[in-house]
Amino acid sequence: MITIDNPGPQIDTSRIAEVEAAIGGKLPASYKDFLLKNNGGRPVPDTIDIDRLPGSPTDIQIFFGIGRGVETSNLSWNIKFARERLPDHRLLPIACDSGGNIFCLGIPGQFSGGIVYCDLTGAEPVKPYEVAPTFEAFLEKIRTWGDA
């Protein structure tokens, strides 16, 4: 079970509807609930294993939110970033690791509802690694460093 440190400002469903309009798809109920409760923040613990990723595990530095104080921690900033960096994928960046790589939620049409990890340090094109089939399964995979 994880806890979230440094959650973002309280939001309501109208702010989530703005994100859905921006991505052209509906967010899974579990992710909407996460945003309404936490609006981003730092998970504790923060380690996650990614199958077939060289150097796995990695960390989850921060979950992005809406209207957070640091621009790069905002969903809106990361939506624009993903469109530039991942133009061939319909992905919503929801978190990053300490290396600046991103965890994304698949939106309708590709990885629908699943979580993928995009290693941005490698060669182009970016290869998404499947992490979990749902947002809930993603949260369940987060563990303490040293636990396997």
Side-chain angles (χ1 to χ4, degrees):
M1 180 62 120
I2 68 165
T3 59
I4 301 295
D5 285 347
N6 191 25
Q10 189 69 42
I11 60 167
D12 61 27
T13 56
S14 68
R15 299 298 303 272
I16 293 173
E18 292 170 8
V19 172
E20 291 176 325
I23 63 170
K26 295 288 184 187
L27 298 173
S30 59
Y31 183 60
K32 288 181 193 182
D33 292 343
F34 177 84
L35 287 173
L36 290 170
K37 181 179 177 186
N38 302 294
N39 192 19
R42 296 184 186 282
V44 177
D46 68 355
T47 302
I48 191 158
D49 298 292
I50 302 171
D51 293 340
R52 295 180 300 284
L53 176 70
S56 180
T58 189
D59 70 326
I60 301 169
Q61 182 186 51
I62 193 156
F63 281 101
F64 307 137
I66 299 169
R68 293 186 58 89
V70 177
E71 182 179 43
T72 56
S73 295
N74 283 301
L75 281 171
S76 59
W77 187 91
N78 282 284
I79 290 169
K80 292 174 191 168
F81 174 78
R83 285 185 180 149
E84 292 170 5
R85 196 68 204 272
L86 306 165
D88 297 333
H89 300 287
R90 291 185 39 85
L91 299 171
L92 172 66
I94 61 168
C96 67
D97 69 8
S98 295
N101 303 302
I102 55 177
F103 294 90
C104 298
L105 174 67
I107 50 182
Q110 191 172 36
F111 305 113
S112 194
I115 305 298
V116 296
Y117 175 82
C118 297
D119 182 352
L120 303 178
T121 61
E124 296 289 332
V126 173
K127 179 183 184 248
Y129 293 86
E130 293 186 45
V131 179
T134 64
F135 183 70
E136 300 96 323
F138 175 60
L139 294 178
E140 289 173 6
K141 285 185 74 170
I142 299 171
R143 64 177 178 83
T144 301
W145 180 261
D147 291 352

